[in-house]
Amino acid sequence: MLEVRDLNIEFHDHSKPETVVYDFDLVMEEGDIVGIVGESGSGKTMSALAICGLLSRRDMKKRGQILFQGKELLTCSRQEMRELQGDDIAIIFQEPMTSLNPVMKIGWQVEEALKLHTNMTKEKRYERAIWALREAELPFPEKVYDQYPHELSGGMRQRVMIAAAIVCRPKILVADEPTTALDVTIQAEIIELLQKLNREYKTGILFISHDLSLVRKLCKRVVVMQNGYIVEQGNTEQIFGNPQKEYTKHLIAAIPGCDQVKEEKDFFHEEVVLSVKDICVSYYSSKGILGKKQEQEVLKGVDFTLHKGEVLGMVGESGCGKSTLAKVIVGLNKAYSGKLECEAGSVQMVFQDPYSSLNPRKTIGWILEEPLKVKGGYTKEQRRQKALSMLTKVGLDPEIANRYPGQLSGGQRQRVAIGLALMSEPKVLVADEPVSALDVTIQAQILDLLQRLKEEMGLAILFISHDLRVVYELCDHVIIMEKGKIVERGTPQKIYTSHEHPYTGELLKVAGIEKIAEKF
Amino acid sequence: MKYVGKKILTMCLTLLLVSFLVFLCFTVIPGDPALAKLGTEATPERVEALRKEMGLDRPFMVRYGDWLISFIQGDMGKSYSYSLPVKQMLADKVPITVTMSVMSILIIIFVSIPLGLYVAKREGGVADRVIYAVNQVIMAVPPFFAGILITLLFGIVLKLFMPGGYVSYTQSITGFLGYMIFPSIAIALPKISMTVKLLRSGLVGEKKKDYVRTAYSRGNNTKGVLYKHILKNAMLPVVTFLGMTFTDIIAGSIIVEQVFSIPGIGRILMTSISNRDYPVVMAVIVSLAATVIVINGLVDLIYQWIDPRIRLEEQS
């Protein structure tokens, strides 16, 4: 049905043409589910956009062929391409929060493809839109039809995107990282939804992701890409069971596994560097000036202690209060009740988003020196020296000191952010989802770095994450949070093999590690 | 409905405050209406007598209360200088200024929105760059200076209208509108360039958003994406700006009326202030304030109609 041959994509908007995809080949039959995996910059999204006709023909030179049911998509007229877009070929994107038009009703947006491709009556279109919304498993489709995007959560918006994509019953649905921006449990639901659509309507799915475990779960065939080239392609079992190429092996090895047995360490004789007792936080929202204040409890009595050299993993979905707790601990939120004991200035934080947490107008050197300036008591030369040695420590070239954050990759920026947190020699590092915005291989490197720094500096780390696999690898103890409460705690071994709380079980299930017990 | 009621109440309170402040201002600043009225014939005794006659010797709060009560009853008082009811004085001036303001806002809307769309479509092209340069110049020209230039070019050189030859709408509607078009253009010009710039940057910025890619993926053509998706989003800042512009125009009409010798509200306000003709000044300023507040309220309503995110916040 879809055949791509020798596709080459070149950008021409800079003085030098830049090739982002080389000799891309792909064959999809009706009802196929094919996955493209690779890290950022591997060309997977570009190939997908090319298939959907979403690359500007002006900035781009494409060579090769894209045949859809025998029609050549690269040379056909724009009008012919537009007739296929949204009708036979549909796409859903990574960012459900921004991919919908904020000022148009959901119903209008779902119906749009019908207006463009069919001559249904208004009533027929409404019926069809409701069908699509129901098919995408949105509760109360009639209500959602009249709502606006900002009234829906990320997961619901992605369902709306899916509803709008399937409303014309496309032959191919391209899903570009559709779950990356969503919570784990919602991720699993979206994957199930895609499977259902494939089963019931024989919709071919081209699934693009950096998450190998998701691809393994969903796809029948896999294409592995790196730097614009296809490294390997084949059946899923074959690729995962018996990878041929070094890069594929490397990628699979970088998936944080839960396969090695961990030694249990005892921290009770170590110094307590952070103690949290019965922390409660409530947010208040009021309706208007005279309206009644509404209380919303975010944290309901959380307590734990952190010893020197210990890594404590905190796991939960968004909204469970983990980021609020992090803010309380580093002193960014003072409106809490309970007891918080730690040495003043001994806690530092690393944030999730390495792209926006560094000031883009300052050099890396300046950024690293700033905590020392605030602290005072260092000469200019001393500050410079300390910043440079910190760069080496976090595995960066000291040369980088003169560059700006925009010139660094995501992994490099996260290293700078970690270095920045360590400049004032803290005892506790609070890392709020420090690797979730990064590619798998970079993820593994950052985790190694944290492990090494912990051993070198005797740091205690509070590691906040939604990824149970990462937590298993790095942490000595784990606490599971649900709706502002700790529902389970213990060593990773214990939690992963014999959990007690049903919520933990659910989290383990969606992470695909429910059967870990068998390994031990 | 509750929201609208609340809004109207705040409007009234704002108006009350404005009137009080203006009243206070004219008590504090130097100048005496009685003295101004008598002019050269003033002797201390006559001034004193006249003050008593005009009720100026009473305490401030009493005078303000008196004014407020009669104003609410629809009586704007009598002009000191002309001994005419203020209402009658303003009645034939208001349509002039209103016509001029409405004409200029219409010119702004009907010129700048198509022009903004035109340049945004040709982003980076020759037309875009030329219009950008012209815009920068026009934006820097204040309305009164634009008025002088227009008088020179269209009036004296091209002889399209007679400078200073104002035609009243009671004589000839077409002649009146024909004359008013030039001051309206003078007012509109700098605002047009600002609106074009704002709309262009809005459109260009919105073009890069994710939802635009989604719109293309459904099979929309460039025109469909621009008109059905981008325009409404890009209009948000423009609507706010146009609202501020409208109030600005009404206030700015004072100067332009001078340049084109139009006997509108602006003119009468200027003479009344120098004559210390308080009843007229009060009436003009309070009605101007009322207009501004009503327009702001309307802009709020339009804004909510365009942007559903605001609607939600207002309701809750």
Side-chain angles (χ1 to χ4, degrees), chain A residues 146-189:
Chain A
D146 281 319
Q147 279 180 310
Y148 288 94
H150 67 102
E151 297 170 80
L152 307 178
S153 68
M156 285 172 86
R157 287 189 216 187
Q158 195 62 291
R159 286 176 193 277
V160 169
M161 281 296 292
I162 293 175
I166 60 167
V167 78
C168 286
R169 297 273 292 271
K171 306 224 163 51
I172 293 181
L173 177 63
V174 178
D176 184 8
E177 305 253 8
T179 61
T180 310
L182 304 172
D183 256 338
V184 264
T185 46
I186 296 163
Q187 261 182 26
E189 288 168 20

Side-chain angles (χ1 to χ4, degrees), chain B:
Chain B
M1 262 346 267
K2 203 177 157 196
Y3 170 71
V4 175
K6 240 184 192 171
K7 195 102 200 167
I8 289 171
L9 192 72
T10 14
M11 280 177 173
C12 294
L13 285 174
T14 318
L15 270 182
L16 196 69
L17 192 71
V18 168
S19 68
F20 181 78
L21 285 177
V22 177
F23 212 93
L24 187 69
C25 264
F26 282 101
T27 324
V28 175
I29 58 166
D32 187 339
L35 195 69
K37 195 173 181 182
L38 288 169
T40 47
E41 295 167 35
T43 59
E45 295 79 43
R46 292 187 67 173
V47 170
E48 206 45 52
L50 189 62
R51 281 180 65 89
K52 203 157 202 163
E53 194 192 315
M54 289 162 81
L56 290 170
D57 56 338
R58 293 174 304 158
F60 168 74
M61 282 317 287
V62 176
R63 278 183 290 137
Y64 177 68
D66 248 20
W67 174 85
L68 190 64
I69 288 163
S70 44
F71 190 84
I72 289 169
Q73 286 167 348
D75 177 12
M76 292 180 176
K78 236 178 181 180
S79 158
Y80 292 161
S81 341
Y82 301 102
S83 306
L84 277 171
V86 175
K87 227 190 220 167
Q88 195 188 321
M89 276 178 71
L90 294 183
D92 55 339
K93 309 282 189 278
V94 170
I96 299 171
T97 306
V98 167
T99 311
M100 191 165 76
S101 307
V102 171
M103 266 170 97
S104 27
I105 199 91
L106 288 179
I107 293 173
I108 293 172
I109 291 172
F110 286 109
V111 173
S112 57
I113 291 176
L115 204 58
L117 282 164
Y118 178 84
V119 291
K121 270 192 247 174
R122 285 159 190 76
E123 185 199 347
V126 181
D128 184 23
R129 274 178 283 171
V130 168
I131 290 176
Y132 177 82
V134 173
N135 258 345
Q136 288 304 96
V137 176
I138 293 177
M139 216 180 288
V141 178
F144 78 89
F145 190 67
I148 294 170
L149 291 181
I150 285 173
T151 311
L152 185 71
L153 180 66
F154 293 103
I156 296 169
V157 179
L158 297 175
K159 300 200 188 317
L160 286 179
F161 76 110
M162 206 101 100
Y166 167 75
V167 186
S168 169
Y169 60 93
T170 47
Q171 295 165 7
S172 147
I173 287 286
T174 45
F176 169 69
L177 290 177
Y179 187 83
M180 293 308 276
I181 193 109
F182 296 99
S184 305
I185 291 174
I187 296 172
L189 269 180
K191 302 292 180 194
I192 287 175
S193 28
M194 288 178 211
T195 317
V196 168
K197 198 174 171 170
L198 201 62
L199 183 60
R200 180 197 175 275
S201 64
L203 288 167
V204 170
E206 291 293 326
K207 255 194 218 173
K208 299 189 180 80
K209 297 247 172 100
D210 288 336
Y211 70 82
V212 174
R213 195 175 52 179
T214 312
Y216 277 115
S217 82
R218 292 191 192 131
N220 274 298
N221 56 19
T222 317
K223 218 168 144 188
V225 172
L226 185 63
Y227 289 105
K228 288 194 289 184
H229 287 267
I230 301 179
L231 186 59
K232 205 171 166 192
N233 281 288
M235 278 307 283
L236 294 176
V238 176
V239 169
T240 317
F241 178 73
L242 286 179
M244 293 191 300
T245 301
F246 200 27
T247 57
D248 210 30
I249 286 172
I250 292 171
S253 63
I254 297 170
I255 296 164
V256 175
E257 281 178 12
Q258 292 290 317
V259 175
F260 285 89
S261 24
I262 297 165
I265 293 289
R267 259 260 193 101
I268 207 169
L269 184 65
M270 295 280 274
T271 37
S272 322
I273 291 176
S274 51
N275 289 343
R276 302 282 178 257
D277 198 346
Y278 295 160
V280 181
V281 177
M282 283 302 292
V284 170
I285 292 185
V286 173
S287 0
L288 280 183
T291 320
V292 168
I293 289 168
V294 168
I295 289 168
N296 278 338
L298 284 178
V299 170
D300 272 1
L301 285 178
I302 295 174
Y303 206 86
Q304 281 181 56
W305 172 63
I306 302 182
D307 193 347
R309 285 164 292 189
I310 300 199
R311 231 176 286 170
L312 189 84
E313 276 159 36
E314 297 284 359
Q315 275 166 9
S316 58

